[in-house]
Amino acid sequence: MNSPKHILLIIGGGIAAYKSSELIRLIKKSGMTVRCVLTESGAQFVTPMTLAALSENEVHTTLWSLKDETEMGHIQLSREADLVVVCPATANLLAKMAGGIADDLATTLLLATDTQVLAVPAMNLRMWNHPATQRNIEQLRRDGIIVMQPDEGDMACGEFGPGRLPEPPAVLAEIMNHVIGENIVGPNPLEGQPAFAPDQHRPLHGKHVLVTAGPTREPIDPVRYIANRSSGRQGFAIAAAAADAGAQVTLVAGPVHLPTPTGVMRVDVETALEMEAAVHDALPADVAIMVAAVADWRADTRADQKIKKQKGDAPAPLKLTENPDILAGLAKHSQRPGLLIGFAAETQKIDEHARAKLTKKGCDWIIANDVSGDVMGGAENSVHIVTADGTEIWARLPKPEVARRLVAKIVEEI
Ligand code: C5P
């Protein structure tokens, strides 16, 4: 059995620091050891006592501790780790790291270490979007530091957007991605969540898989929209299965009520135009699986005010414009993914229509689903895999099982 891996966790000062407690618990549960360094501002949000109790290790807070220095020098503290994780990495901490500033224990360790560093940013969305932060992140990535993408969503400050700390299971998945190779000792700490065995063979490690899922919603006026019955379940299951297989996954999701699978970077969009932009932003990708049921049309103009029904009047005319075909566009893109997969919802002549779509859209595989029954929004799917080499017909299966088999087929292909 391999010896347990050691994580040095540096906790910066932001409201997301409270999530470090859960992260420590998950790291420990996975059989790794963790030692914490708390910055002065981090200590405004979590106490050394909590971290020491959870990590079962002394917590380090200052450069000037004679006791720490005689027992374990600060350079050794970072060098004995298999991975240094900065979580939450505040805008300030990232800026200091990018600039090589070493003015406290955390930043001194980061400058002195030769161990791989993983930074998990969390900050207000304007701080995240600020050119200075983006410049620092680019610099850090060039310097070989892994910088996770923050989540999008509601923030503690009441705003909405990118900058949220990814959920602790996603951070753990990322940690595993980088210390894996040798077995992690211990049980799967993510039990009950989408299957992820830390000691499992992770064949998509190092690959970026892009998935679209769910419907798009095309506004007519501030209260009405055009949409469809897609639940997003098949796409979310595929994103989860790809993450389980070790891929870095970007999931561009239309409006659905589904939790983000563990270890998956989710980008929420509403319209087809937003989905297209998010897909292009996510490139390059090794594999793209376009599962979303993109609305074919959008309202030609979006009324600023609610369109009023007037007594005796004919219904308001609805003029439609065609949406871009995101899949076909990606097939012609200069950064076309090496394996491009489309879905096709069909109610009749499934193979014939799917094969025609394969050519028309310029993708490599079409997964045709027979939606004549209750597939759309349901728990199971019945698919035909149409490729240049022929057609495979799969029995009706639960959507997570379709996802698992599809990912296995992708692994075989690439
Ligand atoms: O043409 P149809 O809608 O049947 O094609 C379905 C496939 O094309 C799916 O993979 C879907 O995600 C993709 N698609 C797209 N952009 C559109 C329409 C469909 O990417 N505007």
Side-chain angles (χ1 to χ4, degrees):
M1 191 186 277
N2 294 330
S3 56
K5 298 289 178 187
H6 304 293
I7 304 298
L8 180 72
L9 178 62
I10 295 178
I11 300 159
I15 181 65
Y18 78 93
K19 290 192 185 170
S20 59
S21 305
E22 175 64 3
L23 181 61
I24 293 168
R25 205 184 57 76
L26 290 175
I27 293 172
K28 297 269 300 172
K29 210 171 156 195
S30 71
M32 295 183 270
T33 65
V34 55
R35 197 178 262 277
C36 299
V37 169
L38 185 61
T39 64
E40 200 184 331
S41 42
Q44 302 294 321
F45 295 89
V46 281
T47 68
M49 182 69 87
T50 310
L51 303 177
L54 289 170
S55 66
E56 297 177 275
N57 259 323
E58 198 185 338
V59 174
H60 305 267
T61 54
T62 170
L63 256 181
W64 314 116
S65 159
L66 190 57
K67 179 171 165 283
D68 281 2
E69 212 42 41
T70 46
E71 283 175 4
M72 181 191 275
H74 61 254
I75 293 194
Q76 198 192 338
L77 196 58
S78 65
R79 293 202 179 153
E80 67 153 28
D82 294 288
L83 185 71
V84 177
V85 180
V86 188
C87 177
T90 59
N92 182 50
L93 208 39
L94 291 168
K96 284 187 187 174
M97 287 164 73
I101 293 172
D103 61 357
D104 63 5
L105 177 62
T107 48
T108 304
L109 287 174
L110 286 161
L111 199 59
T113 193
D114 50 11
T115 303
Q116 176 68 62
V117 177
L118 165 69
V120 191
M123 66 197 72
N124 166 275
L125 78 132
R126 282 170 224 280
M127 292 169 90
W128 171 255
N129 285 331
H130 196 287
T133 304
Q134 290 304 315
R135 203 167 51 235
N136 290 334
I137 286 165
E138 257 180 56
Q139 181 60 52
L140 289 169
R141 288 189 172 139
R142 269 200 299 274
D143 293 345
I145 288 173
I146 307 150
V147 184
M148 261 183 101
Q149 203 60 22
D151 272 358
E152 280 199 44
D154 286 318
M155 318 204 77
C157 52
E159 292 190 275
F160 182 95
R164 268 168 63 103
L165 190 83
E167 287 307 312
V171 179
L172 180 70
E174 194 65 30
I175 292 174
M176 296 283 204
N177 262 338
H178 298 288
V179 290
I180 215 99
E182 295 92 351
N183 284 349
I184 302 297
V185 183
N188 178 4
L190 301 176
E191 219 151 65
Q193 305 188 39
F196 173 81
D199 55 354
Q200 191 176 293
H201 182 46
R202 290 162 64 73
L204 290 184
H205 178 70
K207 302 285 181 204
H208 180 206
V209 174
L210 169 62
V211 182
T212 65
T216 63
R217 190 184 275 178
E218 312 296 334
I220 296 169
D221 68 16
V223 296
R224 303 182 181 96
Y225 56 80
I226 304 167
N228 60 62
R229 289 182 195 282
S230 168
S231 66
R233 288 164 86 163
Q234 186 62 79
F236 273 58
I238 291 169
D244 281 352
Q248 179 204 335
V249 181
T250 304
L251 171 61
V252 180
V256 291
H257 298 284
L258 291 172
T260 308
T262 301
V264 166
M265 159 70 189
R266 173 175 178 171
V267 182
D268 284 316
V269 297
E270 193 165 310
T271 65
L273 291 176
E274 287 169 9
M275 185 171 274
E276 183 186 45
V279 162
H280 290 171
D281 282 352
L283 295 174
D286 300 285
V287 182
I289 313 163
M290 315 300 279
V291 197
V294 183
D296 290 317
W297 307 282
R298 64 179 183 273
D300 191 27
T301 51
R302 177 191 175 161
D304 289 338
Q305 306 297 331
K306 185 180 170 193
I307 301 169
K308 300 298 283 180
K309 185 168 67 176
Q310 278 167 8
K311 218 171 160 206
D313 276 2
L318 183 59
K319 198 160 169 265
L320 300 175
T321 302
E322 199 168 335
N323 268 328
D325 190 312
I326 305 169
L327 174 60
L330 206 49
K332 294 192 199 107
H333 198 281
S334 58
Q335 289 182 297
R336 182 197 193 275
L339 181 60
L340 181 56
I341 304 173
F343 266 66
E346 304 291 350
T347 54
Q348 54 169 338
K349 295 189 189 160
I350 294 168
D351 293 348
E352 193 184 316
H353 288 164
R355 195 155 291 284
K357 212 161 272 185
L358 192 68
T359 319
K360 186 173 146 221
K361 305 233 177 194
C363 56
D364 302 305
W365 302 352
I366 283 279
I367 317 297
N369 37 352
D370 181 353
V371 291
S372 52
D374 56 358
V375 159
M376 225 151 172
E380 294 188 330
N381 206 353
S382 163
V383 302
H384 299 198
I385 316 287
V386 179
T387 71
D389 301 333
T391 302
E392 273 176 43
I393 300 178
W394 292 2
R396 191 178 168 94
L397 293 165
K399 286 179 177 174
E401 186 53 24
V402 171
R404 210 186 54 73
R405 291 187 189 198
L406 181 60
V407 167
K409 192 172 165 63
I410 291 169
V411 168
E412 233 173 74
E413 178 73 16
I414 66 171

